[in-house]
Each structure stands twice: as structure tokens, then as C-alpha cells.
Amino acid sequence: MSETDLAAPAAAANDGALPSHATPWRRRLPLLPALIFTILLTQVPFVMSIYYSLTNWKVVPPTPREFIGFDNYVELTSSSPFLDAAWVSVKMTVLSVFFSVILGTLIAILLDRKFFGQGIVRTLIITPFLLMPVVAGLIWKNQMFHGLFGVVNWLLDWVGIDSVEFVSKHPLASIVTVLVWQWTPFMMLIMLAGLQSQPSDVLEAARVDGTTSFGIFRQLTLPHLRRYIELATLLGTIYLIQVFDQIFVMTGGGPGSTNLPFFVYRRSIGGGWQFGLASAYSIVVVIATLLVANFALRVLSNLLEDDV
Amino acid sequence: MSANERAVGEGVWTDRILGLVAWLVGFIYFFPILWLIINSTKDEVTANATPTLDYSPSLDRYREVTETSVGLLGAGEAFTNSAITSVVSTLIVLLLAIPAAYALAIYPVKKWRDALFFFISTKFLPLVASILPLWILARQFDLLNTRLVLIILYTAMNLPLAVWMLRSFFQEVPRELVEAAEIDGTSLIGVLRSVVIPIAAPGIAATGLLCLIFAWNEYFFAVQLNAADAQTVPIWVTTNISTRGNFIAKLSAASVLASIPVVIAGWVAQKRMIRGLAMGAIK
Amino acid sequence: MASVTYHKATRFYPGTERPAVAEFDLEIPDGELLVLVGPSGSGKSTALRMLAGLEPLDGGQIKIGDRDVSNVRPRDRDIAMVFQNYALYPQLTVAQNMGFALKQQKVPKEERRKRVEEAARILDLTPYLDRKPKNLSGGQRQRVAMGRAIVRSPQVFLMDEPLSNLDAKLRVQTRTELAELQERLGVTTVYVTHDQVEAMTMGHRVAVLKDGILQQCDTPQNLYHHPANAFVAGFIGSPAMNLVPITPADGAARLGGHRLGFGDAEGDIDLGAALTVGFRPEAARLGDDGPLEARIRTIEDLGSEVFVHLVVAHEGDDIQIVAKTASPFGGRNGDNVRVSLGGPVHVFGADGERVASTNATLA
């Protein structure tokens, strides 16, 4: 009887049997509007880009559009600015995701206990996430990192260190700082959800079993948080790969702070007007991101299947 | 044990010190925004100088920034455009995503995983990469400089997120209720209206709020596709950046005004958003 | 091995006026299996958690042995606890779950393994040592939770409704195994349940709680035969004792219009105030010649015995009483029968306290 009952898997809502009155099409119908809309708006531009990437379309100077096959792609592989931009993309994304996940986790742990005004502190910390990326970039560029009037330099001065021209001398670090500042709250929220979803009686059992607070964290909480950390990393990567606004207002894309999206932008309607070449760049970027996405989605797939 | 109480045998000081540390972290984290607000009440001379708190605050910058139309459009137009594009696109997103999420969660189509992956994978594509074709299409259909083009794009931008989050909220709806409604002969719209939406209402609200935030704060498409007539708030803020001189105070005032709607919305709906992110994310 | 003492232990949940546990006094000698029983909200789980150190005390103290543990952390109290939902560590195997506490105490690996295997043997868990909780049945998980506790050889076992989540048949079987195990190990055990049958069959002594207040703590037999108040009388025993409110008139108490004679206890009972009279189903005799008229409402034939639910007119209203009789029973729903009293009757005063127990007669 219940001896042979194995632990029931999570509600199999996803594999529910087809009721006799619901034909496959009736099931699919509600999905179609959203699906068609998305396909139109993402795939059509993609196909157009492929087409343009096989031409030598330039607007400045105006040249007639001729089909040149894969020439653009060949030129691209030897383009060192392109590879630089790719490398900057990697650095910017990895550093931002890494630091914001760690910082978010630490702050979540700090906020997970109850203390006076906990809600207020959480509200304060969430706010940077709600700001416009351009506003955040401007705050840090003009007011925090400013060479002459910046608060950070004022503090350094106070401690006796020379002023640092953050944005001009360390563009990547400055931008990563802003990104981490804005995205840590998001990570923190996910981690808080993770921390608060631990079953309380398991934690109590550990306390009765003689574990120290740190022991509980290391042996129970961290393994439990693994899924949440993976998820936070995945979501963060999705958004941080595409950073544009902060770069635009802080450095305008100087060397060291141009990531791939910005690079492509500059080559196309952002000044280069080399539509053919830029399209080739964008196709390569799309393919590369799809590879990353594929990998990331495998992780997501585990999350979707996983039974806690 | 109630969360407000100390665990048995724990020192009183641990809690107090950690509480203090939390307040400190919160303050430091919020400080740049605080400084922004402070700068917005200074005059330009004070703002563009060594940091100081010794001045007499005024709201003049706010007046200046909302009165003058720097070049193209003033504050009122920008806020209206942003409000319209954000709200309308969010409504359309919900309109499309709710049935889609229903199809993925409650009576899932066979290939639900593939469909979900497809939606999410579109978020991975750098939108910047498609700006050229989109720009060309927009020009083709005479949609440059309109609110409509932004509404369409913001909908496409937020739809995957909404589908994902709503799907996991809908999974929480007890199957029996849906089945009971179906037995009673209710149509799909009826089921949505009477069962699914009321139960998942907090989740729908959280999703909608997140879409509003992303749409309101969006800068890139707005600036690429709208040179003039449909200027949104983020663009309006950047018109206060001048190379001719330092206008930090005015810029700060503009920034504060631009941020207020979303920040207030986020503060008020915090708990719901947390639930939303957590649930939308985890399931 | 140690005794457990609650001395005026009190606990208020923040924001509530009534205490969850009020001035709880209890002494549990070494080796006893004491059951805390009561309806939901009676404070029994809270009292247990106070002993565990998972709830702080707002008053009074708790001692284990001679040691005042009121402010001692759970991990320093040398107790082991079995939780209602088992609270197994989800990422660890059965063996790791059971050895967890020993690992925290830095017990060497070899000895840990030995003790875990020993406990697994006692609980028939040996084939499952490498499985994770999610691959176990409910009954197996329950035994792992037990194993986690017995591996530790603590001074006190605490059990919070450990059998509630098992199905009925398994519950009955595990109940006896648990009682035997406790007898064998001889460790002082505090056991919480809402099921009074469990309490009666397992406990050396049973403490009945209501609204945070201890009603009576006694052996099961005494609770059954000598309940201290109407609540205990009605709570212990299944089906419940028949409790009939009576307003005496003309200096006599009447049940269904018939005068109750209280024999020797006549003088102890104050017939000027309202009282409650209680008698168990086995004390209500059915026949054709009893004084009290009743109509059969329904019949529960359990095979070994029969419980007959009757409707009786009493003080202007219809009341229900249950009579127990032997199987087979020939009556049918709707039949009229007659009832007489043939067993002890308890009389409770207006405040619920027991005033007298006697063999009463019905005229």
C-alpha cells in the first residue's frame, strides 16, 4: 500500500491527458497570436540582415547594392576591432554577472534576517534597478566618478589618494560598476526568494542536530540555492549581453568599452553607414549568441525538469 | 517562532550589529541616488564644484527643466509619449501573453518546451543587431517618428518575459477549477476570465509592472527610431546633456523627474514584484 | 538519560493576548514516554518546541535533568527531534541524513558508519541507505526521521506528530513498533499528537492540553475512568463520552424527564446550579424495559461491537446519546428502544470540574 507508493513526482500538469473535446488545434490556438507576433518581429529582420550581409551596401558614399557573397564575412574575421569588441563583450558580461550575483547573494543573506526597518532597507537597495540605464550611467559618470567633482574622488582625496579619472582611464571598470550597481538588486531578489523558500522544518532539524549557523549555510542553504544562482546567472546574462545605454552615455564607445552590440551599432546607423558589413557583423553576433543561448538553455532545461 | 524574535540562545548583539550593517549597506547603496536628488536642488555653480552639503536648496531646476523645451519637445510631451507607449505596449503584451501562457501551462500543447525555448531564445538576440532592418522596415511603413513603432517594438521586447512569467503563475491555478469550468461548458475566454485571471491576478500584476518598467526605461529604440515627434522620457533626459557647459543640476532634476513614476511604482508593488520574480523565475 | 521538567513555562505569540502555553507545570521522570495531546491550538506543539529550544520562553523555566536549559541553544541541549513532515535533508542520502548530527559533533567516520548501520538495522532501512528522500515512500521517510533521532543517543526524544502523515493501517502498525522501541531504548520521550487513540495506546502517561492550559496529566486508565473535568472526559475515549447538560429543578436532576439518583455521592452534588452529567457508551444499556425512551438514529456495526446513536427528548430539546452494545444487534433506524444506566456516571459542576463519580440510577 503506502509502502509501495513511491514519492509522487511534481504535479504532472505538463503531461495532462487530452480531454476528448479539446482538439490539438484548440490547444494551439491561444498560443498563436503571441508566437506569430514574435516570429514576425524577430525572424523577418534576421532574414533581411542575412540578405544585406551578402551585399556591399554602403550609404556613405552611396554605392549601388551589389551581391558579393561572403566577402563581408571574410573581411570580418581579420578585423581586429571586431575581435576586440567580442572580447570586451565577454569581459563586460562575465564580470557584471559574476559580481552582481555574488554581491546580490551576500546582501540577500544580510537581509534575510529580521531587523528594524528591513522593508525600508530593501526598498532602498531595489531602487537602482528601477532607474533608467541612461540615468544610472549619467549619475556615475557625472557625479560619482567625475574627475573633479565626483564624490568618489572627493572620498579618495579625503583619505589622501590622488584623484582618478575613472571613466576615461578605466572605461570598462566604470561601466561594469554601473552594471553591477543596477543589477545586484535583481539578483538579490532572486536569492531572497531562494533563501525564503527553504523548508523551515529542515532548518530547525539541523539546529537540533547540532549544526552551527555557518554549518547550516554551507551544508544546506548553498546546495538549495544552486538552482537560484543558475537562474540568476542565466537571466542576468540575457540582459547584460545586450548592454547599450550605459556605454552610450558614459564613454560613447571608446576603446576598451565597446561591446558587440555597440560595435555593430557604430558600423551601421550609428555613424558607419556600412550596412552590408554591419549586417555581416550582426549575423555573426547572432550566431554566437545563439550558441551561448543553447548552452544556457540546457541549464534552463534542467531547471524546468528538476524536482526539488 | 515569530520572525521578529531572536533565536533561543543567540546573543542580542549579533542581531543588532547585523541590522546596523544592513542599514549601512542600504544607505551606501542608495547614496548615488540621494546625491542625485541633492544635486537637483543646487544651482549650477554649486553642483559643478567640489561636493558639498553647504548650500540653500531650491526647486528652481525643476521649474527650468519642465518649462523650457530644449529644441524639440518639452517635458509634458515626453511624459505623455512615454506613458502611452509603455501602457499600451504592456496591455498588448498581456493580451497576447495570457492566452499563450494558458496554452503552455494549463492544457499544454505537445511541443510546449520548444515553444518556450523559442520565446526565451529571442531575448538572447541582441536587439541592436536587428536595428538596421527594423529601421528600414519602419521607414518603409512610414512609422519612423511615431509612437506606434515603439509600441510594436516594446511589445516584442517584453513578450518573451511575460510569457515565461505568466506560464509559471498559471501553473499554480488548480487544475480542478479549470476542469470544472470546462465541464460547465465555458469557452476559453470564459475560463480565462472567471478562473485563471482572478487566481493569477497578483502574478499578472507583477508581470505587467515589470513590462512597464522595461518599456518606460528603454532608450535605444526610442532614440534610433524617433528623431523628433515621439520623443520619450529617456531621450528628454539626455537633451539636458550639453557640451557647452556644465548643467549637472538641471540634468539631475530631469533625471529625478524621469525616474519618479517607475520608482514609485516599483516601491509600492515591491512585494508583488518579488513574488513575481521568484515564481516566474523558479518554476 | 534524564528527566524533563516544565516549571510555569509560558509562551506568548507576539501580538496575541492569550498565551499559547500558560504556566505549564509538568515533571517527566527519566525513561517515561509522555504524550502531549489536545485539539489544534491547544499549545501542545508549542510546548514541545519550547523544550527543543525552537521557541523562546516568555516565563518560567525548563530543565533537562538538573540543568536549566531555558536559554540554551537547541544544539547544546542534547535532544533529538522527529518532525511531523520528517524534515529530511533533501540533498543527502538516507545514510547521510542519519549520520548528519554525528558529523556535526565530529564523531569519527568509522563509528558514524557503525551507528548508522545499527539504527538502519533496527528500522529495516538497510536496503535504502544510499537513496535520497525523494525516492522513498512516506513510511520509509518516517523511519529515516526516526533513525536520525535514535542514532544520536540523546537525553530526550521529542516527537511532533510523527505518525500523522501515514495512512491509517501503517499508523497503527508503526505505533506499536515505536512504543516497543522506546521501551527498549529507555530514553525519556515527549510525544505530541492530536489523536487521542494514539495517546492512550502509547503513553505511559498522557497530558491533555486545551487553550494552552494543562487539563490533566495521568495514566491512560485514570484519564479514562477518572477524568478531571468535562473537557478531558469528552476528549478521551472514542466514541466520546455522552455529556448531558442538566438544570436541576425541584431539588432533583433529571435526564430525559427521569430522575437521576446519585447514590453515595448524593451529598457532594450541588443541585442548585447547572451541571453536566457524563457517561460512556458502555454505561448506556439498551433493552425493552429501561426507563428512558429513545429513538434509534443510526447504527454503527463494527463487527466486534455496535454503537447505536439515539435521540432522546431532554429538557425540551432533542439530544443525542451513544450506546454501546454487543454484536449482532437487531434494531433498525427509527426503532424505539429503552435505555437504562449500567455503569459509572461522572458529574461535572458548572465550571466543568468533576464533582463526583458514582453508579447512578435512572428512575
Side-chain angles (χ1 to χ4, degrees), chain A residues 27 113 123 143 181 231 242, chain B residues 15 29 108 123 252 270 281:
Chain A
R27 277 191 175 190
R113 31 178 70 234
T123 309
Q143 303 181 21
W181 184 64
L231 178 85
Q242 307 189 31
Chain B
D15 259 10
Y29 214 81
K123 287 290 308 161
S252 303
Q270 228 186 109

Side-chain angles (χ1 to χ4, degrees), chain A residues 5 7 14 39 54 107 110 117 125 134 138 146 163 170 173-174 188 190 192 201 223 225 236 247 255 264 274 292 296:
Chain A
D5 262 358
N14 298 326
I39 290 179
L54 301 173
I107 297 183
L110 189 61
I125 296 187
V134 289
L138 288 171
H146 198 277
S163 302
H170 307 279
S174 306
M188 178 199 80
I190 295 183
L192 262 181
D201 58 352
L225 281 183
I247 303 177
V264 172
Q274 301 200 32
V292 172

Side-chain angles (χ1 to χ4, degrees), chain A residues 1-7 201-202 204-213 215 219-220 223-224 307-308, chain C residues 49 54 74-75 79 81 83 85 87-89 91 100-101 104 134-137 141 143 148 152 167 169-170:
Chain A
M1 279 196 305
S2 84
E3 281 297 345
T4 50
D5 262 358
L6 281 189
D201 58 352
V202 174
E204 286 179 346
R207 279 163 66 194
V208 170
D209 274 351
T211 329
T212 61
S213 295
Q219 296 174 81
L220 295 180
H224 175 83
D307 218 38
V308 174
Chain C
R49 288 165 61 85
L54 297 171
R75 67 177 189 255
I79 53 173
M81 187 157 167
F83 290 81
N85 291 311
L88 301 182
Y89 305 120
Q91 332 276 3
F100 188 79
Q104 306 308 306
K134 65 182 185 227
N135 297 325
L136 297 173
S137 73
R141 285 189 216 166
R143 280 183 281 152
R148 197 169 60 175
R152 294 185 46 191
D167 65 65
K169 198 141 179 252
L170 192 57

